[in-house]
Amino acid sequence: MPRNAVVLLILALSATSYAAEDSTWVLQSRELPAPLGVSDVLRDSIAGTPQPDIESSSTSPQTDAEWEALISSIVNPVPLQLIGQGLGVEIDAEQIADVKVYRVTPPAISPEHEEHLFLYAHGGAYVFNGGDAAVSEAALVSALAGMEAIAIDYRMPPSDPFPAAVDDFIAVYLNLIESMEPTKIAVGGSSAGAGLALAALHKLKQLNAPLPGAVYAGSPWADLTKTGDTMYANEGIDRILVTYDGYLGGAARLYANGEDLTDPLLSPVYGEFSDFPPTIFVSGTRDLFLSDTVRTHRKMRAAGVTADLHVYEAMSHTGYGFMRQAPESNDWYQELINFLKTHLQ
Amino acid sequence: MPRNAVVLLILALSATSYAAEDSTWVLQSRELPAPLGVSDVLRDSIAGTPQPDIESSSTSPQTDAEWEALISSIVNPVPLQLIGQGLGVEIDAEQIADVKVYRVTPPAISPEHEEHLFLYAHGGAYVFNGGDAAVSEAALVSALAGMEAIAIDYRMPPSDPFPAAVDDFIAVYLNLIESMEPTKIAVGGSSAGAGLALAALHKLKQLNAPLPGAVYAGSPWADLTKTGDTMYANEGIDRILVTYDGYLGGAARLYANGEDLTDPLLSPVYGEFSDFPPTIFVSGTRDLFLSDTVRTHRKMRAAGVTADLHVYEAMSHTGYGFMRQAPESNDWYQELINFLKTHLQ
């Protein structure tokens, strides 16, 4: 509004210094209705689940034993064979370069993807979703795109902190490109998986290794520190992650194992993105990682990279993956698949 | 996080109905620090301005006389001649099809834009920024792109409510395409100007008139109702607009003059977007209109339109325009200009 704009301009010109402690705003309590500008399925789901509770979400295991107990208490909600049957894909556990992976073969290979591969890294804050849960979106993308996929069951803490996950990703990728063109591989995933893929690309650049042909950066955990503005603005609004100050922050410290969280191999947003392959980003307006997503997108654009951004109304972190019954989910995976068809050579 | 995801899945499967009155969340009071993941200039500006005050921003003129008094009290902060001098452009007041316009001639026309024109509609909630202020971004885009521009000083309420603004936009456009190819024209603007341009395109489709070659949709006011999720989530966070429940809602009702706010010519997000020309969107994570922006982007994508989205970290409504001294502003206008170069034929 012009009046505010005039005030802003005047203040911007006159403000020469400020006290940092005065620059934190205290947001008042206010109401957030169930969103109307989304599909009925997504709205009913949001309206039908309890409001996220910041306080009860603000705890995290403190010791390795507590982490191990938590991790082992979480059962993969969908058994591997059921994933395969539902999508018509075949899933085979293998090892590549001594790293555990799952090879996903779709019922039919699309003609344009006969020579292509989707190399997938699962999410779960670098601590969860090991084992069968590592297949995750790889099965879906493989089935929808008609493309072979390999999901990496990378090592994780507490037993194997950073850089084990990056090393595993790199080892699998370098093995694969011994027998196929790097540009025929798309890499990526969601959340920590997207962060890991982006970190691995920084590492490949350090190694002067050839880069893959395309990247899927789904709501990437691109910054392990609590820096992104939506880490604060969407606290208690994102119904999946809820807050940084619980598992997330704890997992970041557990994974980093004392290393600087702003190392680009831990927080890829701090890296340099020149020569990155075409990358597609997705997030939601309620995503705690919306800021991580748009900050990384902008850094890529500034580096001259082909990078597309998609943001869904009122969607929490990786809602497209959790809400497969919502039209928004199909819409997103269609975007992703079209992107891969366009950009994989 | 997996534990939340499991809970969510279970609840999503079991939730068959809900009471609408229970579906509104009450967000607790919490802190929002000045953002760290932005340029120093933007951070210092945010840190150096007072926190937006929702309560004092929740008033609006009630009568035509009160609106007229408010409108006339707002002085264009930058005189027309100063705009022209600072950017090296020439600005001439003219009339096209009996509509007041400003013709902006840059110091040098870029070779690729010799036959192109940027047809600009200013923002200001359909009530502010008439007269010289109507030039606004048209001068900047003209200078940076090296392209001639025409800024429409469209009629506004209280004297001339909807559909006067749409009619003026259409009249100018139809006059222009009598002597030039429609696809050589880019249309658009920011805020209400972007909403008006999108509404005008819906109208052109109704008239079976040829469409322009590209659209600039800067933080579009694409929905005059309080529907977008960020109308709630970013209330008191967006330092420019602050809240819908003041000038904005009042201006929406004043402009609509009793017509249904969900008419696509008032709220273009409710229209059908097939055949729209390539469109570029921009918003910020703190923008009250972030939801309007992403909802419109998604509708266009679903309709098969070439539509690019750009979102800036911690930026409020149209911050790229108000904060010209911030690197984010130059970054954005470079994106816009590259887009116009790519898509104008």
Side-chain angles (χ1 to χ4, degrees):
Chain A
M1 307 291 288
R3 177 158 284 181
N4 292 320
V6 171
V7 170
L8 183 70
L9 279 168
I10 293 165
L11 288 167
L13 293 170
S14 63
T16 52
S17 68
Y18 63 93
E21 63 269 29
D22 295 330
S23 66
T24 293
W25 296 350
V26 179
L27 303 178
Q28 305 163 31
S29 173
R30 68 217 141 95
E31 295 194 341
L32 182 69
L36 290 171
V38 299
S39 70
D40 292 349
V41 175
L42 180 54
R43 180 171 55 255
D44 288 355
S45 169
I46 292 172
T49 48
Q51 177 171 356
D53 182 3
I54 295 173
E55 195 178 329
S56 72
S57 301
S58 296
T59 59
S60 177
Q62 297 298 313
T63 64
D64 286 2
E66 286 176 17
W67 273 110
E68 280 161 1
L70 172 64
I71 292 163
S72 63
S73 76
I74 294 175
V75 180
N76 182 22
V78 184
L80 188 62
Q81 293 315 314
L82 200 62
I83 296 173
Q85 283 171 25
L87 294 164
V89 298
E90 185 184 317
I91 304 173
D92 299 299
E94 298 184 7
Q95 293 224 338
I96 296 180
D98 293 327
V99 176
K100 291 195 288 181
V101 303
Y102 295 87
R103 183 178 299 271
V104 185
T105 309
I109 304 277
S110 298
E112 61 268 68
H113 288 317
E114 274 175 8
E115 299 182 358
H116 294 160
L117 179 73
F118 178 45
L119 181 60
Y120 176 78
H122 67 83
Y126 292 108
V127 289
F128 302 111
N129 297 336
D132 287 359
V135 175
S136 186
E137 285 181 290
L140 186 62
V141 173
S142 173
L144 294 175
M147 177 165 32
E148 193 173 64
I150 286 177
I152 309 171
D153 185 14
Y154 52 83
R155 290 170 294 157
M156 296 193 289
S159 58
D160 297 283
F162 175 83
V166 179
D167 289 346
D168 285 356
F169 192 109
I170 296 288
V172 172
Y173 176 80
L174 292 180
N175 180 286
L176 289 169
I177 65 172
E178 287 177 9
S179 57
M180 68 183 294
E181 289 284 329
T183 54
K184 297 191 186 304
I185 300 175
V187 302
S190 287
S191 197
L196 177 56
L198 294 170
L201 262 69
H202 286 315
K203 179 74 176 181
L204 289 173
K205 282 175 65 176
Q206 291 176 7
L207 298 171
N208 286 315
L211 300 181
V215 180
Y216 164 32
S219 195
W221 200 12
D223 188 345
L224 299 193
T225 72
K226 193 177 178 182
T227 294
D229 201 49
T230 57
M231 290 284 193
Y232 299 87
N234 280 340
E235 187 179 50
I237 292 177
D238 182 330
R239 64 184 176 144
I240 304 292
L241 295 176
V242 186
T243 178
Y244 178 86
D245 298 329
Y247 292 165
L248 269 185
R253 290 183 292 274
L254 181 76
Y255 174 59
N257 196 29
E259 297 299 315
D260 180 357
L261 290 179
T262 64
D263 183 326
L265 301 189
L266 281 162
S267 295
V269 72
Y270 296 106
E272 201 281 312
F273 288 90
S274 60
D275 303 322
F276 264 55
T279 301
I280 187 165
F281 290 89
V282 63
S283 183
T285 65
R286 291 191 178 192
D287 187 358
L288 217 59
F289 293 175
L290 173 61
S291 287
D292 280 16
T293 307
V294 304
R295 289 165 66 207
T296 312
H297 177 244
R298 290 251 56 81
K299 282 202 75 169
M300 277 199 194
R301 298 289 303 184
V305 175
T306 297
D308 290 356
L309 174 66
H310 301 274
V311 178
Y312 284 84
E313 167 74 341
M315 190 177 274
S316 291
H317 183 62
T318 65
Y320 51 86
F322 288 121
M323 290 287 299
R324 276 294 295 148
Q325 69 274 40
E328 286 88 346
S329 180
N330 278 330
D331 183 86
W332 162 244
Y333 285 107
Q334 198 56 56
E335 280 280 6
L336 172 60
I337 285 156
N338 289 344
F339 182 89
L340 296 177
K341 281 204 202 320
T342 302
H343 291 285
L344 275 184
Q345 293 168 8
Chain B
M1 306 292 289
R3 177 158 284 180
N4 292 319
V6 171
V7 170
L8 182 70
L9 278 167
I10 293 165
L11 287 167
L13 292 170
S14 63
T16 52
S17 67
Y18 64 93
E21 63 269 29
D22 295 330
S23 66
T24 292
W25 296 350
V26 179
L27 303 177
Q28 305 163 35
S29 173
R30 66 217 142 93
E31 295 194 341
L32 182 68
L36 289 171
V38 299
S39 69
D40 292 350
V41 175
L42 179 55
R43 180 172 56 255
D44 287 355
S45 170
I46 292 172
T49 48
Q51 177 171 355
D53 181 4
I54 296 173
E55 195 179 327
S56 72
S57 300
S58 295
T59 59
S60 177
Q62 297 299 313
T63 66
D64 285 3
E66 287 175 15
W67 273 110
E68 280 162 359
L70 174 64
I71 293 164
S72 63
S73 77
I74 294 176
V75 179
N76 181 21
V78 183
L80 188 62
Q81 293 315 314
L82 200 61
I83 297 172
Q85 283 171 24
L87 294 163
V89 298
E90 186 183 317
I91 304 173
D92 299 298
E94 297 184 8
Q95 293 225 339
I96 297 178
D98 293 326
V99 176
K100 291 195 288 181
V101 302
Y102 295 87
R103 184 178 299 270
V104 184
T105 309
I109 304 277
S110 298
E112 61 267 68
H113 288 317
E114 274 175 9
E115 299 181 359
H116 294 159
L117 179 73
F118 178 44
L119 181 60
Y120 177 78
H122 67 82
Y126 292 108
V127 288
F128 301 111
N129 296 337
D132 288 358
V135 175
S136 187
E137 283 180 292
L140 186 61
V141 173
S142 174
L144 294 176
M147 178 166 31
E148 193 173 64
I150 286 177
I152 310 172
D153 185 13
Y154 53 83
R155 289 171 294 157
M156 296 193 289
S159 57
D160 297 283
F162 175 82
V166 179
D167 289 346
D168 284 357
F169 192 108
I170 296 287
V172 172
Y173 176 80
L174 292 180
N175 179 286
L176 289 168
I177 65 171
E178 286 176 11
S179 57
M180 67 184 295
E181 289 285 328
T183 53
K184 296 190 187 304
I185 300 176
V187 302
S190 287
S191 195
L196 177 57
L198 294 169
L201 262 70
H202 286 316
K203 179 73 177 180
L204 289 173
K205 282 175 63 176
Q206 291 177 7
L207 298 171
N208 286 316
L211 300 180
V215 181
Y216 164 31
S219 195
W221 199 13
D223 188 345
L224 300 194
T225 72
K226 192 177 178 181
T227 294
D229 201 50
T230 56
M231 290 283 194
Y232 299 88
N234 279 341
E235 186 178 51
I237 292 177
D238 182 330
R239 63 183 177 147
I240 304 291
L241 296 175
V242 185
T243 178
Y244 178 86
D245 298 328
Y247 292 164
L248 269 185
R253 291 184 291 276
L254 182 75
Y255 174 60
N257 196 29
E259 298 298 315
D260 180 358
L261 290 179
T262 65
D263 182 328
L265 301 189
L266 280 163
S267 296
V269 72
Y270 295 106
E272 201 282 311
F273 288 91
S274 60
D275 303 323
F276 264 54
T279 301
I280 187 166
F281 290 89
V282 62
S283 183
T285 65
R286 292 191 177 191
D287 187 357
L288 216 59
F289 292 177
L290 173 62
S291 287
D292 280 16
T293 306
V294 304
R295 289 165 65 209
T296 312
H297 177 245
R298 291 250 55 81
K299 283 201 75 169
M300 279 200 193
R301 298 289 303 185
V305 175
T306 297
D308 291 355
L309 174 66
H310 301 273
V311 178
Y312 284 85
E313 166 75 341
M315 190 178 273
S316 291
H317 182 62
T318 65
Y320 51 86
F322 288 121
M323 290 287 299
R324 278 293 295 148
Q325 69 274 40
E328 286 88 347
S329 180
N330 278 330
D331 183 85
W332 162 245
Y333 286 106
Q334 197 56 55
E335 280 281 5
L336 172 59
I337 285 157
N338 289 345
F339 182 88
L340 296 177
K341 282 203 202 319
T342 301
H343 291 284
L344 275 183
Q345 293 168 5

